[in-house]
Amino acid sequence: MTEITGARRSDAPASRGRTTVADVVVEKIAGMAARDVPGVHALGGGFARSMGTMRERMPGAGSGKSVTRGVSVEVGELQAAIDLEIVVDYGVSITDVAGEVRESVISAVERMADREVVEVNITVSDVKLPDEEDEGEERQRIQ
């Protein structure tokens, strides 16, 4: 048995290295948190959603909607700032939905990425009317 003498490490394991969180991780967390709020129909403006729908149909482009569409972030070592572009359902209170999105995004990012969220800026770019078809549904019918 070997006995180690001398100075022992008193540092906790968590302090013996650095954790870096990529911007795309925070974008995905924020996108998922925003989509989960009732009254949010979609993320991204009309053009971004159109381009995303076209990208999703390309062979080899992956499946499913892009979680980061309509989300942009700036992430530092301790803080994050988030910009969201959303489409809300007709009939909901836009200010209430925006407030719930802000709370949901802040809670998720601070809990999962351990970054203080200094701001969540929300742009409501459209309202989904009950009789409107989604852009993807309309394109499939035209094909």
Side-chain angles (χ1 to χ4, degrees):
M1 182 170 171
T2 306
E3 185 175 320
I4 299 175
T5 58
R8 289 192 165 207
R9 288 193 159 218
S10 61
D11 296 343
S15 66
R16 294 185 199 166
R18 169 193 251 168
T19 302
T20 303
V21 178
D23 290 7
V24 71
V25 173
V26 176
E27 285 175 350
K28 287 181 178 183
I29 292 168
M32 291 300 296
R35 278 185 173 78
D36 287 345
V37 173
V40 174
H41 178 74
L43 267 65
F47 181 73
R49 291 194 327 266
S50 296
M51 293 307 293
T53 300
M54 288 177 18
R55 248 190 326 267
E56 289 166 7
R57 293 176 186 206
M58 294 176 67
S63 62
K65 294 182 178 180
S66 172
V67 178
T68 60
R69 187 180 312 142
V71 182
S72 63
V73 301
E74 291 181 36
V75 182
E77 288 187 35
L78 302 173
Q79 297 177 324
I82 301 164
D83 294 323
L84 299 169
E85 185 175 357
I86 66 173
V87 177
V88 297
D89 292 320
Y90 176 80
V92 300
S93 166
I94 293 173
T95 55
D96 289 349
V97 170
E100 290 177 36
V101 166
R102 196 169 278 113
E103 286 180 28
S104 179
V105 168
I106 289 170
S107 174
V109 170
E110 288 184 348
R111 179 176 48 83
M112 296 175 69
D114 197 27
R115 297 296 184 270
E116 176 192 9
V117 178
V118 293
E119 65 182 6
V120 177
N121 299 309
I122 300 171
T123 301
V124 179
S125 62
D126 203 356
V127 173
K128 168 66 169 74
L129 301 175
D131 58 345
E132 284 182 328
E133 291 182 6
D134 281 335
E135 292 172 15
E137 293 172 6
E138 185 177 314
R139 281 198 179 86
Q140 284 192 2
R141 192 180 78 214
I142 292 172
Q143 288 181 357

